[in-house]
Amino acid sequence: MNPIEFQEKAYADMLNSKRERMCRVQVLGHRGFSVKGMFLGISPCSDKELTDMAGFVADVPIYKIAIMAERERLTPMWINTLLIEHIDDIEFV
């Protein structure tokens, strides 16, 4: 998602209000993959995380989503919001 739009539309607050609900996240659009699990929350990436991403620097916060993914066993997973095309790719059930 575009980090400027993400910040301007207060998507972080909207998503954090849905903690502990089941969700499905479509990563990298229709050609990517889908992850299902319990939504744990969203938080900004730290400066260290951003520089580890090939020296990525941003003027606005970049967020990551935490979910407890349902796979062969429950697995904690962080998904960077830059890997999600649109807010509608995060569905709550």
Side-chain angles (χ1 to χ4, degrees), residues 42-77:
I42 185 166
S43 63
C45 294
S46 70
D47 291 340
K48 168 110 174 78
E49 289 170 319
L50 293 176
T51 54
D52 285 348
M53 294 188 321
F56 193 88
V57 178
D59 294 340
V60 295
I62 306 296
Y63 287 86
K64 58 188 175 183
I65 294 171
I67 68 170
M68 187 61 73
E70 292 179 345
R71 299 194 176 224
E72 294 149 15
R73 59 184 180 156
L74 292 177
T75 307
M77 181 181 285

Side-chain angles (χ1 to χ4, degrees), residues 1-13 56-63 80-82 84-85 87:
M1 276 184 270
N2 179 326
I4 295 170
E5 178 183 354
F6 196 86
Q7 183 177 11
E8 287 176 353
K9 294 190 176 181
Y11 287 149
D13 294 334
F56 193 88
V57 178
D59 294 340
V60 295
I62 306 296
Y63 287 86
N80 189 308
T81 56
L82 294 175
I84 302 169
E85 285 188 17
I87 192 67

Side-chain angles (χ1 to χ4, degrees), residues 6 11-19 39 42 90 92:
F6 196 86
Y11 287 149
D13 294 334
M14 184 269 297
L15 290 171
N16 268 327
S17 72
K18 299 182 182 212
R19 287 180 182 203
F39 179 76
I42 185 166
I90 305 169
F92 290 90

